[in-house]
Structures are given as structure tokens and as C-alpha cells.
């Protein structure tokens, strides 16, 4: 085929298109256009000041959601190109996948989910979709960014059945138990590779985890042995760089060879064959999947539940919960635009409507903006 893409890759020709139809771009593909719209969005710029594990003001060396998203895109593009898949689409999905994240990483999302428990909950995948479908206001002709079906499908990694039923075409695959495109599947796994490895790197740099502890984790230990053999006498920092690079390489190579073997065996002829397959085709071999699970478990126990991280987590939950309560009790504590939105949503959908508007406002905050907001309420401590 002329595009050089595999017959089961997503292409502009087999795309289900955009909700609001637009003339095709002149010098870009439809998915390059999606990627560019994501990069020019306000939510994308705010990723610079949002964190995953470490709160942003703790140091400039740690990953932010922005650098995380760039790392995901870099890994995903490598896999896409190696497998003849649509690199532009997988890049657009990767760069957009965390747009809906709250301030303060998972702690912020858990707290907001708890605040929203009577109003449909809060889920970051769904919020990323809300950002690109509704919350960005940059185009006169339509709300949101009007991205293609395939980019939106990739952003919505998980979804409850209740939410799927409200999402029409986009929710249908969760009801039918179908798969998304291979490009979406691989963006999802590139996300895992990226965060596991940068959390190892950031964890070591912060001193919250030790090299000797990590040396008990097989994936790390294997690469450490190789590095020690090949580079005698390098310092600990360089050793970490080499080991992390080695782990990413091992995971990416395994992902490509395992996924390619599965695809070759299935012989899909079109994107429909991918969607209707009973399980995802992109994945790791069993030994590497197991090694990755062990690494995840290590990070959960030693890093994410570290007393220092827990203290930050608790403070983050407190901030988000307080902001939600204060804004819900008095919309005018929010900027006029958001207060208006909350009032209009309350008129239309009652408390559930205004709660969603308040959640949208809080979710859009960066870590430091949320800290300023809580101080402005006189709740800083
Ligand atoms: Mg992510």
C-alpha cells in the first residue's frame, strides 16, 4: 500500500471522522492535525505544572505530566513505526492521554472522585475526553478540539458500563467487549513503560528508594548486571541512567516482537479484525509481563506508600476536598466564568450539574495554582 502502513493500521481513509465535519487539512494528515490541536491546547500547557508522584515545587528535576506525556509519545512512536502502524495517531493519543488529570497526581484524582461520589464520580480518562470534547474553548465553530474518533477512542482507555452507555458510539466497545485500534493499545502500554521507569529514576534521585532495594527486582537486577559488566567503575548516577535505559529498551523490544508475532499469527486484514478480536494484541511476553508486575509492586510498596509520599498525598487530598466544599457552597469563590458555568449547570441539572462544573474547575488546576487557591481561601497551613 502506498502509505507504507499495515492493512490493519488506522488511516484517514478508514477513520470514523470528527463529530463536526471539517475540510481535510492541506499539509497534514487528520491525525497530525489532532496532535497539533492537543499541543496548542491550554490543558496541555498546564501539564508542565502537574505531577504524578512528586509535587511540583519539591524540585525541578522530577517528571511532570508534560515530560511524562512526551516520554510516552516517544516510546509509542517507536513501536508504531516498527509495526507499520499510524505514528501520528499514536502520538496524538499519547500527548492527550493525561489532559484530564487533577493537580497532585493520583491523590488529587482519588479525592475528587470521593467528592463526586453522589454525582457520577470522577475518572481521569473520562475527564481527558471531556477536556478535548467540551472544556477547551478555542474554536468558533465547535466546542472542544473536535478530534477524530480514533484519537478520542484512544484517550478513553477504561470506562465503566454506566458511563459507556452515556457515550454513544465511543462507549459501544465497552458494551460489546471490543478492542480499540492497535495505535490506542500501544499508547496504553507505552504509558506503563514510561511511568514505571521514570518513577524508578525519580525515586532513586529523591533518595526515597535505594539501589540495593531495587537490585532485588528482577527487571532491574538483569540490567544492573549487564551495566556492571560493561561499565566498570562508573558512578551510581550513571549506573541508574544506564539501567533505566536498558529496562526501557528491553520492554520496548519485547513489546514489539511479542505484539508483531501475535498480529502475524492472527493475520488481520483490516481495522475491523483488530476491533473484534477477543483480547488486545499489543502486549508483553509472559516473562516480561511478570517482571513488570514485580516492578510495579515494588514501586507501590516502597515509593507510592513511602511515609514522605503519603504525607504529601494526605495534604493533597485535604486541599482538593476543601476546595470542592468551599466552591460548592459559594460559586462566587471561583472566577466569574466558572461561577457562571456552575450556576447554569445547577439550573439545568441541579446539584449534580454544579458539582461537575466545580470538579472541572479543580481538575484543570496545576499543583501550584491549587496551593495558591487554598491560601486565598485562608486554608493554607
Ligand atoms: Mg500517563
Amino acid at each position: 500500500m502506498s502509505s507504507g502502513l499495515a492493512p490493519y493500521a488506522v488511516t484517514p481513509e478508514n477513520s470514523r471522522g470528527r463529530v463536526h465535519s471539517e475540510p481535510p487539512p492541506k499539509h497534514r494528515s487528520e491525525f497530525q492535525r489532532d496532535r497539533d490541536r492537543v499541543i496548542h491546547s491550554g490543558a496541555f500547557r498546564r501539564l508542565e505544572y502537574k505531577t504524578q508522584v512528586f509535587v511540583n515545587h519539591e524540585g525541578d528535576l522530577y517528571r511532570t505530566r508534560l515530560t511524562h506525556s512526551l516520554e510516552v509519545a516517544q516510546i509509542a512512536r517507536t513501536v508504531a513505526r516498527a509495526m507499520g502502524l499510524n505514528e501520528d495517531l499514536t502520538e496524538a493519543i499519547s500527548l492527550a492521554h493525561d489532559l484530564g488529570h487533577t493537580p497532585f497526581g493520583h491523590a488529587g484524582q482519588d479525592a475528587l472522585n470521593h467528592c463526586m461520589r453522589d454525582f457520577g464520580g470522577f475518572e481521569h480518562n473520562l475527564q481527558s475526553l471531556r477536556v478535548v470534547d467540551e472544556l477547551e474553548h478555542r474554536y468558533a465553530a465547535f466546542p472542544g478540539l473536535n478530534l477524530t474518533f480514533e484519537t478520542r477512542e484512544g484517550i478513553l482507555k477504561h470506562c465503566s458500563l454506566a458511563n459507556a452507555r452515556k457515550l454513544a458510539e465511543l462507549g459501544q466497545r465497552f458494551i460489546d467487549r471490543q478492542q480499540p485500534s492497535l495505535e490506542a493499545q500501544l499508547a496504553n502500554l507505552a504509558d506503563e513503560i514510561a511511568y514505571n521507569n521514570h518513577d524508578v529514576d525519580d525515586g532513586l534521585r529523591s533518595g526515597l528508594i535505594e539501589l540495593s532495594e531495587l537490585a532485588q527486582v528482577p527487571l532491574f537486577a538483569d540490567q544492573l548486571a549487564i551495566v556492571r559488566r560493561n561499565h566498570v567503575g562508573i558512578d551510581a548516577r550513571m549506573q541508574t541512567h544506564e539501567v533505566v535505559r536498558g529496562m526501557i529498551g528491553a520492554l520496548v523490544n519485547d513489546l514489539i516482537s511479542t505484539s508483531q508475532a501475535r498480529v502475524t499469527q492472527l493475520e488481520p486484514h483490516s481495522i475491523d479484525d483488530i476491533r473484534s478480536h477477543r483480547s488486545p494484541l499489543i502486549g508483553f511476553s509472559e516473562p516480561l509481563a511478570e517482571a513488570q508486575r514485580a516492578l510495579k509492586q515494588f514501586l507501590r510498596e516502597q515509593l507510592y506508600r513511602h511515609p514522605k509520599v503519603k504525607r504529601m498525598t494526605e495534604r493533597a487530598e485535604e486541599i482538593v476536598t476543601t476546595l470542592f466544599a468551599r466552591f460548592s457552597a459559594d460559586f462566587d469563590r471561583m472566577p466569574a466564568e466558572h461561577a457562571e458555568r456552575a450556576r447554569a449547570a445547577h439550573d439545568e441539572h441541579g446539584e449534580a450539574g454544579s458539582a461537575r462544573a466545580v470538579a472541572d474547575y479543580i481538575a484543570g488546576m496545576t499543583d501550584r495554582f491549587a496551593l495558591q487557591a487554598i491560601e486565598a481561601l485562608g486554608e493554607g497551613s
Side-chain angles (χ1 to χ4, degrees):
M1 71 242 88
S2 60
S3 64
L5 295 181
Y8 40 82
V10 174
T11 63
E13 291 70 40
N14 65 29
S15 169
R16 295 186 191 176
R18 304 174 192 275
V19 172
H20 305 273
S21 65
E22 296 182 58
K26 268 205 192 97
H27 305 292
R28 301 172 290 177
S29 77
E30 294 287 357
F31 305 107
Q32 281 178 292
R33 176 190 256 171
D34 279 4
R35 176 205 56 203
D36 297 349
R37 286 183 178 180
V38 169
I39 288 179
H40 287 278
S41 71
F44 185 73
R45 280 194 299 281
R46 288 197 299 272
L47 292 177
E48 184 175 3
Y49 300 105
K50 292 191 183 202
T51 45
Q52 309 226 101
V53 179
F54 297 91
V55 175
N56 186 249
H57 65 268
E58 294 203 322
D60 292 341
L61 292 174
Y62 300 122
R63 263 63 170 196
T64 65
R65 294 249 172 225
L66 180 63
T67 57
H68 162 70
S69 300
L70 296 174
E71 291 183 27
V72 174
Q74 173 263 320
I75 292 169
R77 286 178 55 190
T78 299
V79 180
R81 200 183 296 187
M83 293 185 66
L85 300 174
N86 192 317
E87 197 176 326
D88 296 329
L89 170 60
T90 210
E91 184 181 20
I93 295 169
S94 300
L95 294 177
H97 87 283
D98 268 353
L99 290 179
H101 259 290
T102 60
F104 313 125
H106 297 288
Q109 120 122 9
D110 291 347
L112 204 50
N113 188 30
H114 188 71
C115 294
M116 290 293 289
R117 64 195 178 280
D118 295 332
F119 312 112
F122 179 90
E123 208 274 304
H124 70 86
N125 282 305
L126 212 51
Q127 190 68 12
S128 296
L129 190 67
R130 278 175 70 69
V131 168
V132 301
D133 280 359
E134 294 176 45
L135 299 178
E136 282 287 326
H137 292 290
R138 320 188 71 79
Y139 298 86
F142 44 75
L145 304 179
N146 196 34
L147 303 182
T148 60
F149 175 88
E150 290 74 17
T151 300
R152 297 168 63 235
E153 164 191 66
I155 291 172
L156 196 65
K157 271 191 281 195
H158 318 282
C159 176
S160 68
L161 275 184
N163 283 327
R165 290 193 187 98
K166 293 181 206 148
L167 286 169
E169 194 189 8
L170 206 62
Q172 199 56 40
R173 86 164 195 267
F174 298 97
I175 296 162
D176 298 343
R177 294 170 182 273
Q178 292 209 329
Q179 309 308 320
S181 70
L182 292 178
E183 288 83 352
Q185 294 179 30
L186 77 87
N188 187 12
L189 290 176
D191 185 23
E192 260 187 52
I193 295 176
Y195 68 67
N196 283 326
N197 284 285
H198 62 53
D199 287 354
V200 164
D201 190 37
D202 284 350
L204 284 169
R205 184 183 289 112
S206 67
L208 297 184
I209 51 178
E210 299 281 342
L211 197 80
S212 58
E213 296 169 330
L214 261 168
Q216 316 292 319
V217 179
L219 192 60
F220 192 92
D222 289 353
Q223 295 303 323
L224 185 61
I226 296 170
V227 171
R228 283 187 172 150
R229 210 167 42 237
N230 293 345
H231 306 283
V232 178
I234 55 170
D235 66 30
R237 202 57 229 150
M238 184 61 79
Q239 218 170 42
T240 304
H241 291 317
E242 287 289 343
V243 171
V244 169
R245 180 157 64 239
M247 289 199 296
I248 294 175
L251 288 163
V252 169
N253 290 338
D254 182 87
L255 189 69
I256 293 170
S257 58
T258 308
S259 306
Q260 192 58 61
R262 287 184 193 166
V263 170
T264 305
Q265 199 188 11
L266 183 73
E267 282 186 82
H269 296 295
S270 70
I271 176 83
D272 293 332
D273 293 343
I274 303 291
R275 293 190 195 281
S276 58
H277 194 59
R278 65 185 184 286
S279 56
L281 288 162
I282 303 288
F284 300 104
S285 66
E286 197 36 54
L288 263 276
E290 176 52 37
Q292 227 194 183
R293 277 195 291 275
L295 175 61
K296 265 187 182 174
Q297 195 187 343
F298 172 87
L299 288 169
R300 202 161 39 237
E301 286 165 10
Q302 305 298 321
L303 184 61
Y304 310 146
R305 293 189 191 145
H306 190 287
K308 269 197 172 167
V309 173
K310 270 194 104 172
R311 263 203 300 284
M312 273 167 1
T313 302
E314 283 159 13
R315 178 70 186 127
E317 285 169 357
E318 211 177 281
I319 292 172
V320 168
T321 306
T322 306
L323 289 177
F324 186 85
R326 295 302 204 88
F327 294 151
S328 297
D330 181 0
F331 299 153
D332 289 319
R333 285 187 183 275
M334 297 187 285
E337 170 201 349
H338 295 277
E340 283 309 315
R341 251 194 99 225
R343 261 190 285 278
H346 195 274
D347 289 347
E348 210 179 327
H349 304 290
E351 217 185 326
S354 52
R356 183 63 60 194
V358 170
D360 285 340
Y361 177 53
I362 296 174
M365 291 180 177
T366 61
D367 294 5
R368 60 181 189 173
F369 189 88
L371 288 166
Q372 285 164 9
I374 202 81
E375 278 191 23
L377 289 176
E379 304 272 348
S381 59

